[in-house]
Amino acid sequence: MHPTLFKIKMPEFLSGIFGDYFTVHSYGFFIVLGAISGVTYLTIKTRKKYGLSFETINNFFLLILIAAFVGGKVFLFFENPSHYIDHPKGLIGGKGFVFYGSLLFAIPTMLLFFRKHKLPVLEMLDVMAIVTCIVHVFGRIGCFMAGCCYGIEWHGPLSVIFRDDECLAPLNTPLHPTQLYSVSLILTILIVLLIIQRRQAFKGQLFLSYLMLYAIGRSVVEIFRGDVSRGYVIDNFLSHSQFISLLVVVVAGYFYWKFYQKNRNSIQ
């Protein structure tokens, strides 16, 4: 829609260093909003309860962002290795991420941090499930503004047309608004998690529920995705993201059942 949010003309004495304009890109802007919102929620939920300082919380979030960036780029590379070997510059910069790569790199980073600081792992993962939803919603809005993660051609009532030359989506073509489908999916998951939180059966339930709900929803959204350069495990049938989603559902479902049974047996 609007990849560039706004530009500010730089003073002459700075234009030679930073260019003629200071440009704020929509994707980066919404990522920053999401990060601020996520840190705020994390601070409210953990600072008093676990005695975490602002510095510790900020360091934790910085580590997560680094892990997410690296993971997103690693998975992007493996979606099309030959392309990125020939065009390594495509991996540099903010454009192009694989969310599952970010998530799967962030999880072990979180676990190591929680154990190092002697924090209750499952309780903290439940908090991070909410934080992830908050950050992810803003990220997908940024995707919509930038035109990435676009849908297949569709002439239905909810179709969107990208006309800005800076957009990553095909221009002047009605497309499924898959970015907004993802926003709706994540907001729905967030509401479900908040409902579960009121009657939580076991620690870790929110995090495992998030993983399964997102994986299932993502598999559905994938049907309407049009950026086929992401590649397939089975051509035109099972995308990389759908394959990873299947694995996530199986693993998260196993642990959900295991923790549920353990809690149930302890009550009896």
Side-chain angles (χ1 to χ4, degrees):
M1 291 284 105
H2 301 285
T4 299
L5 199 59
F6 60 84
K7 294 182 178 181
I8 300 175
K9 187 171 180 59
M10 299 292 290
E12 289 187 8
F13 70 94
L14 292 176
S15 61
I17 302 174
F18 300 102
D20 294 332
Y21 291 92
F22 172 74
T23 304
V24 174
H25 296 284
S26 300
Y27 184 80
F29 176 79
F30 280 101
I31 288 293
V32 170
L33 277 184
I36 292 172
S37 301
V39 168
T40 301
Y41 179 84
L42 182 64
T43 301
I44 292 172
K45 295 295 290 186
T46 62
R47 187 165 182 265
K48 289 184 178 180
K49 187 173 182 179
Y50 303 118
L52 297 179
S53 65
F54 285 117
E55 182 180 1
T56 300
I57 293 172
N58 288 333
N59 288 340
F60 168 64
F61 220 84
L62 179 60
L63 286 173
I64 296 302
L65 289 177
I66 294 172
F69 181 88
V70 174
K73 292 298 184 180
V74 168
F75 273 57
L76 182 66
F77 172 81
F78 283 111
E79 284 189 347
N80 196 344
S82 59
H83 171 77
Y84 289 111
I85 289 174
D86 294 335
H87 304 88
K89 290 184 178 180
L91 290 173
I92 302 173
K95 294 182 179 180
F97 284 95
V98 175
F99 173 74
Y100 268 134
S102 298
L103 179 65
L104 295 179
F105 269 58
I107 290 175
T109 303
M110 288 190 288
L111 295 177
L112 290 171
F113 186 91
F114 298 154
R115 288 173 180 170
K116 178 181 178 181
H117 291 270
K118 298 179 180 179
L119 296 168
V121 173
L122 294 179
E123 290 182 26
M124 288 298 298
L125 286 176
D126 283 338
V127 174
M128 290 306 299
I130 304 293
V131 171
T132 303
C133 286
I134 294 171
V135 176
H136 201 181
V137 162
F138 281 100
R140 285 305 185 193
I141 294 174
C143 286
F144 181 65
M145 297 293 282
C148 61
C149 306
Y150 54 86
I152 58 176
E153 184 173 346
W154 184 51
H155 295 264
L158 297 178
S159 62
V160 295
I161 298 176
F162 294 88
R163 293 189 170 88
D164 194 309
D165 290 337
E166 293 184 5
C167 283
L168 300 177
L171 301 181
N172 304 312
T173 304
L175 305 171
H176 271 285
T178 44
Q179 309 94 332
L180 300 185
Y181 296 166
S182 293
V183 170
S184 300
L185 167 66
I186 299 162
L187 286 175
T188 300
I189 293 173
L190 178 58
I191 292 171
V192 172
L193 295 183
L194 293 174
I195 292 173
I196 294 174
Q197 192 176 46
R198 294 184 176 184
R199 299 182 179 180
Q200 194 165 346
F202 58 88
K203 295 174 183 178
Q205 185 178 12
L206 297 185
F207 184 70
L208 293 172
S209 297
Y210 162 75
L211 290 178
M212 290 187 290
L213 290 171
Y214 179 75
I216 294 170
R218 174 62 185 269
S219 294
V220 176
V221 173
E222 280 288 299
I223 297 171
F224 305 101
R225 287 279 291 264
D227 46 344
V228 294
S229 61
R230 292 167 297 113
Y232 289 87
V233 175
I234 302 176
D235 286 344
N236 299 317
F237 180 74
L238 185 69
S239 72
H240 284 122
S241 292
Q242 287 174 322
F243 176 70
I244 296 172
S245 293
L246 179 61
L247 296 179
V248 169
V249 169
V250 171
V251 174
Y254 166 77
F255 282 105
Y256 190 101
W257 177 253
K258 180 180 178 179
F259 291 158
Y260 176 80
Q261 287 295 105
K262 182 178 179 180
N263 179 75
R264 185 178 178 183
N265 293 336
S266 65
I267 293 176
Q268 293 177 348

PDB file of all heavy atoms in Angstrom, residues 148-163:
ATOM      1  N   CYS A 148       4.695  -7.085   0.898  1.00  0.00           N
ATOM      2  CA  CYS A 148       5.293  -8.420   0.921  1.00  0.00           C
ATOM      3  C   CYS A 148       4.275  -9.432   1.451  1.00  0.00           C
ATOM      4  O   CYS A 148       3.215  -9.061   1.940  1.00  0.00           O
ATOM      5  CB  CYS A 148       6.562  -8.441   1.773  1.00  0.00           C
ATOM      6  SG  CYS A 148       6.320  -8.003   3.506  1.00  0.00           S
ATOM      7  N   CYS A 149       4.617 -10.721   1.353  1.00  0.00           N
ATOM      8  CA  CYS A 149       3.718 -11.796   1.825  1.00  0.00           C
ATOM      9  C   CYS A 149       2.343 -11.678   1.169  1.00  0.00           C
ATOM     10  O   CYS A 149       1.315 -11.930   1.800  1.00  0.00           O
ATOM     11  CB  CYS A 149       3.592 -11.770   3.354  1.00  0.00           C
ATOM     12  SG  CYS A 149       5.148 -11.823   4.232  1.00  0.00           S
ATOM     13  N   TYR A 150       2.330 -11.298  -0.091  1.00  0.00           N
ATOM     14  CA  TYR A 150       1.082 -11.022  -0.807  1.00  0.00           C
ATOM     15  C   TYR A 150       0.367 -12.301  -1.234  1.00  0.00           C
ATOM     16  O   TYR A 150       0.937 -13.395  -1.206  1.00  0.00           O
ATOM     17  CB  TYR A 150       1.363 -10.147  -2.025  1.00  0.00           C
ATOM     18  CG  TYR A 150       2.421 -10.708  -2.949  1.00  0.00           C
ATOM     19  CD1 TYR A 150       2.088 -11.620  -3.948  1.00  0.00           C
ATOM     20  CD2 TYR A 150       3.752 -10.321  -2.819  1.00  0.00           C
ATOM     21  CE1 TYR A 150       3.058 -12.143  -4.789  1.00  0.00           C
ATOM     22  CE2 TYR A 150       4.732 -10.830  -3.660  1.00  0.00           C
ATOM     23  CZ  TYR A 150       4.380 -11.738  -4.638  1.00  0.00           C
ATOM     24  OH  TYR A 150       5.336 -12.253  -5.475  1.00  0.00           O
ATOM     25  N   GLY A 151      -0.887 -12.147  -1.655  1.00  0.00           N
ATOM     26  CA  GLY A 151      -1.707 -13.295  -2.021  1.00  0.00           C
ATOM     27  C   GLY A 151      -1.755 -13.541  -3.524  1.00  0.00           C
ATOM     28  O   GLY A 151      -1.185 -12.787  -4.317  1.00  0.00           O
ATOM     29  N   ILE A 152      -2.448 -14.602  -3.887  1.00  0.00           N
ATOM     30  CA  ILE A 152      -2.633 -14.920  -5.303  1.00  0.00           C
ATOM     31  C   ILE A 152      -3.678 -13.980  -5.900  1.00  0.00           C
ATOM     32  O   ILE A 152      -4.430 -13.315  -5.186  1.00  0.00           O
ATOM     33  CB  ILE A 152      -3.074 -16.387  -5.493  1.00  0.00           C
ATOM     34  CG1 ILE A 152      -4.381 -16.662  -4.730  1.00  0.00           C
ATOM     35  CG2 ILE A 152      -1.988 -17.351  -5.048  1.00  0.00           C
ATOM     36  CD1 ILE A 152      -4.942 -18.053  -4.933  1.00  0.00           C
ATOM     37  N   GLU A 153      -3.710 -13.937  -7.204  1.00  0.00           N
ATOM     38  CA  GLU A 153      -4.674 -13.068  -7.888  1.00  0.00           C
ATOM     39  C   GLU A 153      -6.106 -13.492  -7.559  1.00  0.00           C
ATOM     40  O   GLU A 153      -6.436 -14.683  -7.560  1.00  0.00           O
ATOM     41  CB  GLU A 153      -4.448 -13.116  -9.403  1.00  0.00           C
ATOM     42  CG  GLU A 153      -5.354 -12.176 -10.183  1.00  0.00           C
ATOM     43  CD  GLU A 153      -5.009 -12.113 -11.661  1.00  0.00           C
ATOM     44  OE1 GLU A 153      -3.899 -12.582 -12.043  1.00  0.00           O
ATOM     45  OE2 GLU A 153      -5.851 -11.600 -12.442  1.00  0.00           O
ATOM     46  N   TRP A 154      -6.922 -12.511  -7.263  1.00  0.00           N
ATOM     47  CA  TRP A 154      -8.321 -12.776  -6.874  1.00  0.00           C
ATOM     48  C   TRP A 154      -9.144 -11.536  -7.148  1.00  0.00           C
ATOM     49  O   TRP A 154      -8.756 -10.417  -6.806  1.00  0.00           O
ATOM     50  CB  TRP A 154      -8.373 -13.140  -5.385  1.00  0.00           C
ATOM     51  CG  TRP A 154      -9.737 -13.531  -4.890  1.00  0.00           C
ATOM     52  CD1 TRP A 154     -10.577 -14.460  -5.431  1.00  0.00           C
ATOM     53  CD2 TRP A 154     -10.421 -13.012  -3.748  1.00  0.00           C
ATOM     54  NE1 TRP A 154     -11.729 -14.573  -4.701  1.00  0.00           N
ATOM     55  CE2 TRP A 154     -11.665 -13.686  -3.647  1.00  0.00           C
ATOM     56  CE3 TRP A 154     -10.100 -12.056  -2.784  1.00  0.00           C
ATOM     57  CZ2 TRP A 154     -12.592 -13.420  -2.639  1.00  0.00           C
ATOM     58  CZ3 TRP A 154     -11.014 -11.791  -1.771  1.00  0.00           C
ATOM     59  CH2 TRP A 154     -12.248 -12.473  -1.702  1.00  0.00           C
ATOM     60  N   HIS A 155     -10.305 -11.722  -7.744  1.00  0.00           N
ATOM     61  CA  HIS A 155     -11.169 -10.600  -8.110  1.00  0.00           C
ATOM     62  C   HIS A 155     -12.416 -10.539  -7.222  1.00  0.00           C
ATOM     63  O   HIS A 155     -13.443  -9.992  -7.623  1.00  0.00           O
ATOM     64  CB  HIS A 155     -11.562 -10.706  -9.582  1.00  0.00           C
ATOM     65  CG  HIS A 155     -10.401 -10.574 -10.517  1.00  0.00           C
ATOM     66  ND1 HIS A 155     -10.054  -9.378 -11.109  1.00  0.00           N
ATOM     67  CD2 HIS A 155      -9.479 -11.486 -10.935  1.00  0.00           C
ATOM     68  CE1 HIS A 155      -8.982  -9.557 -11.872  1.00  0.00           C
ATOM     69  NE2 HIS A 155      -8.611 -10.833 -11.786  1.00  0.00           N
ATOM     70  N   GLY A 156     -12.308 -11.076  -6.017  1.00  0.00           N
ATOM     71  CA  GLY A 156     -13.425 -11.065  -5.080  1.00  0.00           C
ATOM     72  C   GLY A 156     -13.585  -9.714  -4.392  1.00  0.00           C
ATOM     73  O   GLY A 156     -12.813  -8.775  -4.602  1.00  0.00           O
ATOM     74  N   PRO A 157     -14.593  -9.608  -3.521  1.00  0.00           N
ATOM     75  CA  PRO A 157     -14.924  -8.323  -2.875  1.00  0.00           C
ATOM     76  C   PRO A 157     -13.856  -7.803  -1.914  1.00  0.00           C
ATOM     77  O   PRO A 157     -13.807  -6.607  -1.654  1.00  0.00           O
ATOM     78  CB  PRO A 157     -16.231  -8.634  -2.125  1.00  0.00           C
ATOM     79  CG  PRO A 157     -16.207 -10.122  -1.913  1.00  0.00           C
ATOM     80  CD  PRO A 157     -15.529 -10.677  -3.127  1.00  0.00           C
ATOM     81  N   LEU A 158     -13.006  -8.681  -1.372  1.00  0.00           N
ATOM     82  CA  LEU A 158     -11.991  -8.255  -0.412  1.00  0.00           C
ATOM     83  C   LEU A 158     -10.613  -8.106  -1.039  1.00  0.00           C
ATOM     84  O   LEU A 158      -9.619  -7.911  -0.334  1.00  0.00           O
ATOM     85  CB  LEU A 158     -11.912  -9.255   0.754  1.00  0.00           C
ATOM     86  CG  LEU A 158     -13.164  -9.402   1.618  1.00  0.00           C
ATOM     87  CD1 LEU A 158     -12.948 -10.465   2.686  1.00  0.00           C
ATOM     88  CD2 LEU A 158     -13.528  -8.067   2.269  1.00  0.00           C
ATOM     89  N   SER A 159     -10.541  -8.178  -2.358  1.00  0.00           N
ATOM     90  CA  SER A 159      -9.242  -8.100  -3.021  1.00  0.00           C
ATOM     91  C   SER A 159      -8.619  -6.712  -2.839  1.00  0.00           C
ATOM     92  O   SER A 159      -9.317  -5.719  -2.643  1.00  0.00           O
ATOM     93  CB  SER A 159      -9.384  -8.413  -4.511  1.00  0.00           C
ATOM     94  OG  SER A 159     -10.219  -7.455  -5.142  1.00  0.00           O
ATOM     95  N   VAL A 160      -7.295  -6.683  -2.884  1.00  0.00           N
ATOM     96  CA  VAL A 160      -6.565  -5.415  -2.772  1.00  0.00           C
ATOM     97  C   VAL A 160      -5.659  -5.261  -3.990  1.00  0.00           C
ATOM     98  O   VAL A 160      -5.238  -6.250  -4.592  1.00  0.00           O
ATOM     99  CB  VAL A 160      -5.720  -5.351  -1.485  1.00  0.00           C
ATOM    100  CG1 VAL A 160      -6.610  -5.356  -0.263  1.00  0.00           C
ATOM    101  CG2 VAL A 160      -4.720  -6.500  -1.429  1.00  0.00           C
ATOM    102  N   ILE A 161      -5.395  -4.010  -4.350  1.00  0.00           N
ATOM    103  CA  ILE A 161      -4.540  -3.714  -5.498  1.00  0.00           C
ATOM    104  C   ILE A 161      -3.398  -2.812  -5.023  1.00  0.00           C
ATOM    105  O   ILE A 161      -3.632  -1.764  -4.420  1.00  0.00           O
ATOM    106  CB  ILE A 161      -5.332  -3.005  -6.614  1.00  0.00           C
ATOM    107  CG1 ILE A 161      -6.455  -3.917  -7.128  1.00  0.00           C
ATOM    108  CG2 ILE A 161      -4.401  -2.627  -7.766  1.00  0.00           C
ATOM    109  CD1 ILE A 161      -7.350  -3.251  -8.158  1.00  0.00           C
ATOM    110  N   PHE A 162      -2.177  -3.236  -5.286  1.00  0.00           N
ATOM    111  CA  PHE A 162      -0.992  -2.454  -4.931  1.00  0.00           C
ATOM    112  C   PHE A 162      -0.556  -1.649  -6.147  1.00  0.00           C
ATOM    113  O   PHE A 162      -0.394  -2.209  -7.238  1.00  0.00           O
ATOM    114  CB  PHE A 162       0.137  -3.379  -4.474  1.00  0.00           C
ATOM    115  CG  PHE A 162      -0.153  -4.108  -3.197  1.00  0.00           C
ATOM    116  CD1 PHE A 162      -0.816  -5.335  -3.211  1.00  0.00           C
ATOM    117  CD2 PHE A 162       0.228  -3.571  -1.973  1.00  0.00           C
ATOM    118  CE1 PHE A 162      -1.096  -6.012  -2.028  1.00  0.00           C
ATOM    119  CE2 PHE A 162      -0.042  -4.230  -0.791  1.00  0.00           C
ATOM    120  CZ  PHE A 162      -0.715  -5.450  -0.819  1.00  0.00           C
ATOM    121  N   ARG A 163      -0.358  -0.358  -5.942  1.00  0.00           N
ATOM    122  CA  ARG A 163      -0.011   0.518  -7.062  1.00  0.00           C
ATOM    123  C   ARG A 163       1.311   1.257  -6.864  1.00  0.00           C
ATOM    124  O   ARG A 163       1.832   1.842  -7.802  1.00  0.00           O
ATOM    125  CB  ARG A 163      -1.136   1.529  -7.306  1.00  0.00           C
ATOM    126  CG  ARG A 163      -2.430   0.880  -7.815  1.00  0.00           C
ATOM    127  CD  ARG A 163      -3.434   1.933  -8.248  1.00  0.00           C
ATOM    128  NE  ARG A 163      -4.573   1.341  -8.937  1.00  0.00           N
ATOM    129  CZ  ARG A 163      -5.670   0.896  -8.344  1.00  0.00           C
ATOM    130  NH1 ARG A 163      -5.765   0.988  -7.020  1.00  0.00           N
ATOM    131  NH2 ARG A 163      -6.653   0.363  -9.030  1.00  0.00           N
TER     132      ARG A 163
END
